[in-house]
Amino acid sequence: DADVTQTPRNRITKTGKRIMLECSQTKGHDRMYWYRQDPGLGLQLIYYSFDVKDINKGEISDGYSVSRQAQAKFSLSLESAIPNQTALYFCATSEGGLGTQYFGPGTRLLVL
Amino acid sequence: GESVGLHLPTLSVQEGDNSIINCAYSNSASDYFIWYKQESGKGPQFIIDIRSNMDKRQGQRVTVLLNKTVKHLSLQIAATQPGDSAVYFCAENTPNGANSKLTFGKGITLSVRP
């Protein structure tokens, strides 16, 4: 079974719609992250959370919000989706300190 | 500004040959480095890591070399196989108290010719 799961795996939505991407992990890690990946570009950090009560903005947080419902769950919301949010979204987890990040399988989002 | 980058966008190698993928980093304070492999349709997968107090680390068929003098990181894959075809990217960890930051390079595509 996968340690980091993401739902949905694929999503098509229309401009202006609110959508939520969910992430769950069974690794027992405190730290969780949301990234987006665009073709030919590296991973860009959207938000990260070091524990349930800690939420931090990343490089490109505008237009996104997150919720850390539990240690194992971290969801990403697009309040009003726009076409340039079409991308591949990854959730990741890590332990504290020098922690390698472990990634989920990704959610492919298309905003029409 | 700080950056993590890869020298070549694509690398094509013959099956059975050794592959070398290079990465330049610019933050001399970075203390930890990771190589990831991303296959089509999948999330990045950890391959190997190295701390800044080391200059070489070996795994199964992979070796990471770190040259802090020129801020260069490389991934060597021995006897490259078709299953090694993927995008590879490096990441550097820059310490900042409790909020260390992991910065990812853009990636290089490794294509293995049969």
Side-chain angles (χ1 to χ4, degrees), chain A residues 4-80:
Chain A
V4 184
T5 58
Q6 293 182 232
T7 56
R9 293 295 313 278
N10 295 278
R11 178 75 183 267
I12 300 174
T13 192
K14 295 182 179 180
T15 297
K17 294 292 186 181
R18 181 182 186 275
I19 64 165
M20 180 183 290
L21 309 182
E22 299 187 358
C23 177
S24 294
Q25 53 116 345
T26 58
K27 299 187 76 68
H29 290 167
D30 287 327
R31 301 186 175 193
M32 298 186 73
Y33 310 79
W34 274 105
Y35 292 90
R36 67 175 280 172
Q37 186 179 49
D38 297 278
L41 299 180
L43 292 161
Q44 295 176 278
L45 182 62
I46 305 172
Y47 270 94
Y48 62 101
S49 167
F50 283 176
D51 63 44
V52 175
K53 298 180 180 179
D54 177 80
I55 301 290
N56 304 281
K57 292 183 177 180
E59 307 163 89
I60 54 164
S61 59
D62 288 348
Y64 301 94
S65 63
V66 291
S67 173
R68 185 80 184 269
Q69 300 96 322
Q71 187 208 32
K73 296 184 182 297
F74 192 35
S75 60
L76 175 72
S77 294
L78 285 68
E79 298 301 326
S80 179

Side-chain angles (χ1 to χ4, degrees), chain B residues 16-62:
Chain B
D17 287 351
N18 296 334
S19 302
I20 301 177
I21 303 171
N22 297 305
C23 177
Y25 67 96
S26 56
N27 192 335
S28 57
S30 293
D31 58 0
Y32 177 62
F33 304 87
I34 309 166
W35 277 102
Y36 284 93
K37 172 186 180 182
Q38 186 176 15
E39 297 175 274
S40 181
K42 296 184 179 180
Q45 179 184 8
F46 170 86
I47 302 174
I48 192 168
D49 59 0
I50 188 168
R51 293 178 182 254
S52 59
N53 62 353
M54 302 172 66
D55 53 21
K56 180 178 181 180
R57 191 165 189 222
Q58 289 185 292
Q60 186 178 12
R61 277 202 310 118
V62 295

Side-chain angles (χ1 to χ4, degrees), chain B residues 51-108:
Chain B
R51 293 178 182 254
S52 59
N53 62 353
M54 302 172 66
D55 53 21
K56 180 178 181 180
R57 191 165 189 222
Q58 289 185 292
Q60 186 178 12
R61 277 202 310 118
V62 295
T63 301
V64 56
L65 299 177
L66 176 63
N67 185 331
K68 294 182 289 294
T69 302
V70 295
K71 294 195 282 291
H72 184 267
L73 188 71
S74 69
L75 176 70
Q76 300 179 1
I77 304 174
T80 311
Q81 302 170 359
D84 295 327
S85 293
V87 174
Y88 291 81
F89 52 93
C90 60
E92 64 175 320
N93 182 83
T94 306
N96 181 22
N99 297 329
S100 62
K101 178 183 177 182
L102 199 62
T103 304
F104 295 88
K106 291 181 172 56
I108 180 169

